[in-house]
Amino acid sequence: MKLKKECIAMLLAGGQGSRLGVLTKDIAKPAVPFGGKYRIIDFPLSNCVNSGIDTVGVLTQYMPLDLNTYIGNGGPWDLDRNFGGAAILPPYMHGKVGEWYKGTANAIYQNIQFIENYDPEYVVVLSGDHIYKMDYNKMLEYHKANEAACTIAVLNVTLAEASRFGIMNTDENNHIYEFEEKPKHPKSTKASMGIYVFTWSKLKKYLVEDEANPKSENDFGKNIIPAMLGAGETLMAYEFDDYWKDVGTIESLWEANMELLGEDSPIKLNDPDWRIYSRNPNQQPHYIAAGAEVRNSIITEGAEIRGKVGHSVIFHGVYVGKDAVVEDSVILPNAVIEDGAVVRYSIVAQDAVIEKGAVVGAPKEECEPGAIAVIGENIKVEAGASVAPGVMAGENVRKEADQS
Amino acid sequence: MKSTLGIIFTYKYEEDLKTLTQLRSIASIPFGGRYRIIDFILSSMVNSGITKIGMITRTNYSSLMDHVGSGKEWDLARKKDGLYILPPFSNPASVNYATNFRGRMEALANITNFIRRSSEEYVLMTDADMITNMTFDDMLAQHIEKNADITLLYKKGNFTNESYSQFCFLSLDEDEKVTDVTINPAMDRNNLSVGTLIIRKSLLESLIQQCSSHNLYGFRRDVLQAHLHDLKIYGYECRNYFNIITSIASYFDSNMELLNDDVRRDLFIDNNSIFTKIRDEVPTEYRNDSVVSNSLIADGCLIEGTVENSIIFRGVHVRKGAIVQNSILMQDTEIQSGSQINYVIADKDVVIRQNRKLFGYQKFPTVLSKGSLV
């Protein structure tokens, strides 16, 4: 019996995410924890499964170990399949040579063989650094209905924001006639979300041609899309008008976490029809002690709260000691906020320890917008030390070194 | 302990837990916010390195099957060995055809093929009514060292409560050798035999054969008491945290003990993991008016009201103005605004409508059966 898949997904997860600084020192951006019990990559992976796409190639390059372990055989996302499922695709040697993924298009080019195993009609190309819920199947239907070579998901942004994005200029039928990367004077507000549906036979042709061009940067936005436009292929913009957030900066990552809080959260996570799956660390229910205060926050299993938590996102295994205060902050897995420590307007990474009486950040109202203090993975802020707003701590912080 | 086969009896005398066992066996009663009782013994066995476990079921076991599934969450979905569900089996040729087995030895006689085909040297048999996180390596080591025929796990304490009326008590000499086995004695209720034991597989098989050919079916009467003097029966004291669920009151107390820091550390933090079925819930959300104190709360809840001294399972919704005290709320319970509950055990999917007041008493918590609407 000949097996094939109509549509498979390729997830670009090799990015460093250098703007996230200490948070991506040891892990790739898609592996950054998000929203109490998830990692960023859970969103595109869950979207795939919920959209009926059961074959996902995950392209890794930068600091892949944690991500590889996390994805494993894809079981938590129901991606452990007989034919298809999740596959980790690192760069590899072929013949006597081998090279790193030079660009997004080259990463797919190097895995043509993987894709052809499934003999797909269509390939969805995704990136692993956005928070959103989207039915790729609807986009695929739209792609098919328009007999397009490529369909690009777009979001309507404000004209002011438009110069930060790749902008699609379209006619009234959403046919793309021009693509501009970060235009100074945008003609349209349709920003690319980095989500592409390609007709595989077309994409393959352009990938091969692009690879043969030594001047190319092997990038979808810079090379492949312009080449397709130049050749007169049908490119469609698929409009998306729900929540979508690029979490590429500390501020946007913090914001996206905070947007999960409260009644009018723009992204409803508790959605039985569109569950976001994650690898479960299997910890006991969280414990809120007598004398603790918890307001307007989300907290997950394994946490223990003895102090005051307000408007914050608390991951599994986090400990907040007696009389400690956590406000407007994101506390990543297994971080410890000892008794009497104060953490405000901050992101505290995995396994960091904020010792007794230490102070991280300042009340949000008193900080410059975006001046979020960040404590790196495994970093210790010693007793009585303080970390000023906006400071990124990649090394242990001692009391005497405190200049703020 | 790869050389040990695990057998779990998932049912028990369940009369005293009636409301909670109407639809399920004792093994699958929800416990501790996100677990089922069987998770504790199953995880303890897996954490001891046991890789082949048979679960003997009797009645109402669909809830249990739904919970354990293929055994994947306990790492028991294996090509070789893993988890076996052993439902009741009736031999048409038997005099007891179409009736359920009468006792443990008869239940074991039903699974002789399973036991015979296992290559393990020892068998660890246990009930599924205990809350503990232990490993059995030391118990097996003692069993081998003393060259025992049977080693019984026991807990020291003062078990005068009548809810232990279905249990065995042991008398031991200074070498831990069992000198007497009594069922529900009037006095001397200090060494509680908790229903867990290690036996050589070949000995177990011959005992099953003997019992079956003499129409004997009780393990305690027909094996332990009958062979007290010709088998070397030893005790092994369990020093870990240990609790047995015997009644609604003990179920309630046992849950509430999880609010004790030491108990929580012993069960969940300092020892191996307790595994359970994953539900992929979202983190629990607290709103501006939530007041929470001394409570254990699982994922997927929305807490808008007040929760004190309580165990809250996955997916519970406590609405604004609702007050929950000293209660156990199982999966997907909803407490609507203005309601107040105290000393209540709400089974899954219970809804307490607005402005209801419901009070139990510590020794007699009010139990609401699954899906009740108050």
Side-chain angles (χ1 to χ4, degrees):
Chain A
M1 190 174 79
K2 175 139 170 58
L3 290 169
K4 69 174 267 132
K5 299 273 180 195
E6 187 197 22
C7 180
I8 72 166
M10 298 295 276
L11 209 168
L12 300 162
Q16 177 182 1
S18 52
R19 287 174 301 163
L20 291 179
V22 294
L23 295 183
T24 51
K25 189 172 148 271
D26 296 319
I27 54 176
K29 180 153 86 169
V32 169
F34 177 84
K37 65 184 301 185
Y38 308 96
R39 303 211 190 200
I40 296 170
I41 198 169
D42 289 332
F43 287 79
L45 277 180
S46 303
N47 285 340
C48 282
V49 175
N50 292 333
S51 305
I53 298 173
D54 64 5
T55 305
V56 185
V58 181
L59 299 115
T60 61
Q61 175 152 288
Y62 173 80
M63 285 289 178
L65 296 183
D66 198 54
L67 195 55
N68 293 354
T69 314
Y70 185 69
I71 292 175
N73 68 350
W77 304 268
D78 233 354
L79 285 171
D80 47 342
R81 303 289 173 113
N82 285 336
F83 179 65
I88 309 264
L89 303 171
Y92 59 94
M93 298 292 292
H94 25 91
K96 284 207 169 88
V97 292
E99 55 187 353
W100 296 107
Y101 293 149
K102 291 179 287 182
T104 50
N106 175 255
I108 305 293
Y109 173 83
Q110 290 200 38
N111 288 291
I112 286 179
Q113 212 181 336
F114 170 81
I115 296 171
E116 302 252 278
N117 279 342
Y118 298 101
D119 189 19
E121 308 296 323
Y122 307 100
V123 173
V124 180
V125 177
L126 304 167
S127 56
D129 36 16
H130 302 136
I131 303 298
Y132 63 109
K133 298 192 294 186
M134 180 177 180
D135 189 342
Y136 304 136
N137 195 44
K138 284 190 186 153
M139 184 172 167
L140 179 64
E141 291 305 320
Y142 179 84
H143 176 87
K144 286 194 227 168
N146 287 291
E147 296 176 0
C150 170
T151 299
I152 302 172
V154 295
L155 192 73
N156 259 311
V157 295
T158 62
L159 204 57
E161 287 175 308
S163 38
R164 292 196 289 117
F165 290 94
I167 294 295
M168 303 295 156
N169 298 324
T170 66
D171 68 13
E172 65 279 13
N173 296 323
N174 272 333
H175 277 101
I176 301 168
Y177 63 86
E178 191 184 21
F179 168 75
E180 292 182 289
E181 182 72 41
K182 296 180 182 149
K184 281 211 182 75
H185 306 288
K187 290 177 229 161
S188 146
T189 53
K190 292 196 174 98
S192 168
M193 297 161 60
I195 300 163
Y196 308 90
V197 176
F198 289 101
T199 299
W200 172 238
S201 56
K202 297 276 186 191
L203 175 61
K204 189 181 168 191
K205 171 172 171 277
Y206 287 95
L207 285 176
V208 171
E209 283 172 18
D210 181 66
E211 189 62 19
N213 175 4
K215 286 190 198 138
S216 173
E217 287 178 55
N218 309 114
D219 185 84
F220 275 104
K222 284 177 195 152
N223 309 104
I224 301 290
I225 302 303
M228 291 178 99
L229 279 172
E233 299 285 359
T234 308
L235 275 79
M236 297 298 298
Y238 174 76
E239 289 188 71
F240 181 74
D241 56 4
D242 209 337
Y243 183 85
W244 177 85
K245 188 112 183 170
D246 184 337
V247 286
T249 64
I250 293 292
E251 195 181 357
S252 64
L253 180 65
W254 181 89
E255 261 176 32
N257 273 290
M258 291 303 146
E259 279 164 357
L260 299 173
L261 304 177
E263 248 165 289
D264 354 292
S265 165
I267 179 163
K268 191 172 157 240
L269 283 187
N270 198 355
D271 180 356
D273 296 328
W274 206 269
R275 232 177 249 284
I276 304 301
Y277 300 96
S278 64
R279 192 172 284 276
N280 191 298
N282 202 3
Q283 295 191 11
Q284 73 281 5
H286 66 268
Y287 176 70
I288 313 265
E293 256 182 65
V294 178
R295 295 231 149 79
N296 198 13
S297 296
I298 57 176
I299 301 182
T300 189
E301 288 163 347
E304 187 162 324
I305 311 295
R306 297 181 176 275
K308 208 170 152 181
V309 174
H311 197 246
S312 294
V313 174
I314 308 288
F315 282 72
H316 52 86
V318 165
Y319 180 85
V320 177
K322 226 173 147 231
D323 300 319
V325 175
V326 175
E327 249 167 36
D328 298 311
S329 295
V330 182
I331 314 293
L332 303 188
N334 305 316
V336 175
I337 318 293
E338 293 187 354
D339 295 358
V342 178
V343 177
R344 289 176 167 131
Y345 200 32
S346 303
I347 298 177
V348 177
Q350 305 90 297
D351 303 303
V353 179
I354 315 299
E355 292 190 345
K356 286 192 175 124
V359 177
V360 176
K364 182 169 174 279
E365 317 76 73
E366 295 168 22
C367 295
E368 294 281 308
I372 297 156
V374 183
I375 308 300
E377 195 174 339
N378 273 314
I379 297 300
K380 195 189 280 179
V381 178
E382 293 186 357
S386 64
V387 175
V391 167
M392 200 178 258
E395 275 170 40
N396 289 352
V397 181
R398 291 173 197 283
K399 197 178 178 188
E400 50 270 28
D402 172 25
Q403 301 296 322
S404 53
Chain B
M1 290 188 63
K2 260 195 87 64
S3 61
T4 306
L5 169 70
I7 294 177
I8 305 178
F9 294 89
T10 61
Y11 58 93
K12 193 105 194 222
Y13 174 77
E14 291 164 358
E15 194 60 24
D16 294 340
L17 282 159
K18 234 177 2 202
T19 327
L20 299 177
T21 50
Q22 265 167 359
L23 300 165
R24 50 172 95 90
S25 57
I26 191 167
S28 63
I29 295 177
F31 185 88
R34 70 190 284 265
Y35 303 96
R36 303 280 180 144
I37 293 176
I38 194 165
D39 292 340
F40 293 86
I41 191 68
L42 203 52
S43 302
S44 289
M45 289 169 109
V46 168
N47 291 332
S48 306
I50 297 176
T51 55
K52 183 171 185 179
I53 297 174
M55 293 195 322
I56 299 181
T57 61
R58 189 162 64 175
T59 49
N60 295 348
Y61 52 87
S62 69
S63 143
L64 179 65
M65 285 179 66
D66 178 46
H67 179 67
V68 297
S70 65
K72 192 171 161 212
E73 263 104 359
W74 296 264
D75 253 348
L76 287 171
R78 305 285 186 98
K79 292 218 161 161
K80 189 171 175 292
D81 302 339
L83 188 67
Y84 294 77
I85 295 173
L86 307 165
F89 172 80
S90 286
N91 179 357
S94 138
V95 283
N96 300 315
Y97 178 57
T99 66
N100 224 316
F101 35 76
R102 291 171 293 174
R104 290 286 153 100
M105 292 313 282
E106 205 161 85
L108 289 167
N110 277 337
I111 62 160
T112 40
N113 284 339
F114 170 76
I115 298 174
R116 183 162 15 88
R117 282 198 305 260
S118 301
S119 57
E120 283 79 1
E121 191 178 352
Y122 300 97
V123 177
L124 177 84
M125 289 201 310
T126 179
D127 288 348
D129 55 355
M130 49 192 79
I131 305 301
T132 186
N133 184 357
M134 67 180 294
T135 52
F136 299 102
D137 305 72
D138 291 345
M139 185 175 166
L140 179 64
Q142 185 199 300
H143 181 83
I144 294 168
E145 182 215 305
K146 294 205 185 288
N147 198 21
D149 291 315
I150 296 174
T151 301
L152 300 168
L153 185 68
Y154 73 94
K155 188 73 186 166
K156 278 201 165 112
N158 187 18
F159 302 98
T160 48
N161 192 312
E162 63 181 280
S163 70
Y164 295 103
S165 63
Q166 299 293 317
F167 283 80
C168 270
F169 289 87
L170 308 178
S171 303
L172 300 134
D173 69 13
E174 62 283 0
D175 190 37
E176 297 283 65
K177 189 159 190 310
V178 175
T179 53
D180 201 4
V181 176
T182 48
I183 300 169
N184 194 22
M187 310 168 54
D188 209 7
R189 294 164 71 107
N190 299 320
N191 300 322
L192 178 76
S193 169
V194 300
T196 302
L197 63 100
I198 290 177
I199 185 169
R200 220 170 40 253
K201 194 184 79 132
S202 53
L203 173 61
L204 178 66
E205 286 178 292
S206 77
L207 289 168
I208 294 169
Q209 183 58 46
Q210 276 175 38
C211 282
S212 146
S213 55
H214 292 87
N215 194 23
L216 302 172
Y217 48 84
F219 183 77
R220 295 179 304 190
R221 188 191 61 198
D222 302 324
V223 173
L224 289 184
Q225 290 182 332
H227 292 276
L228 187 61
H229 301 293
D230 59 286
L231 288 178
K232 282 174 285 179
I233 304 177
Y234 280 84
Y236 177 83
E237 189 191 343
C238 170
R239 292 168 203 275
N240 289 49
Y241 175 81
F242 201 99
N243 228 330
I244 290 190
I245 310 298
T246 56
S247 62
I248 293 290
S250 78
Y251 171 79
F252 183 80
D253 292 344
S254 204
N255 269 286
M256 289 304 162
E257 276 182 28
L258 299 178
L259 299 177
N260 175 312
D261 291 344
D262 294 332
V263 171
R264 233 172 31 252
R265 277 188 219 308
D266 201 63
L267 276 180
F268 301 122
I269 300 166
D270 295 343
N271 287 308
N272 298 306
S273 290
I274 300 295
F275 302 100
T276 190
K277 184 181 174 188
I278 303 296
R279 250 184 63 154
D280 289 294
E281 289 283 2
V282 297
T284 281
E285 193 176 348
Y286 295 87
R287 293 276 166 79
N288 272 328
D289 300 305
S290 59
V291 178
V292 185
S293 157
N294 191 36
S295 294
L296 197 64
I297 301 180
D299 273 1
C301 299
L302 176 54
I303 311 292
E304 301 175 286
T306 300
V307 177
E308 281 170 18
N309 311 324
S310 294
I311 308 288
I312 309 291
F313 283 70
R314 296 182 275 201
V316 168
H317 188 176
V318 178
R319 288 187 187 271
K320 216 163 149 174
I323 300 174
V324 175
Q325 292 164 313
N326 307 301
S327 293
I328 299 169
L329 306 183
M330 296 188 201
Q331 261 172 240
D332 303 321
T333 296
E334 181 184 344
I335 313 296
Q336 297 188 349
S337 57
S339 283
Q340 196 177 352
I341 61 171
N342 200 343
Y343 293 112
V344 167
I345 299 173
D347 206 326
K348 291 167 71 173
D349 302 315
V350 164
V351 177
I352 303 206
R353 287 263 180 85
Q354 288 182 14
N355 304 315
R356 303 289 194 269
K357 288 193 170 36
L358 211 57
F359 300 108
Y361 180 69
Q362 185 176 10
K363 294 287 168 210
F364 293 97
T366 303
V367 186
L368 304 172
S369 59
K370 187 173 168 179
S372 309
L373 179 69
V374 179

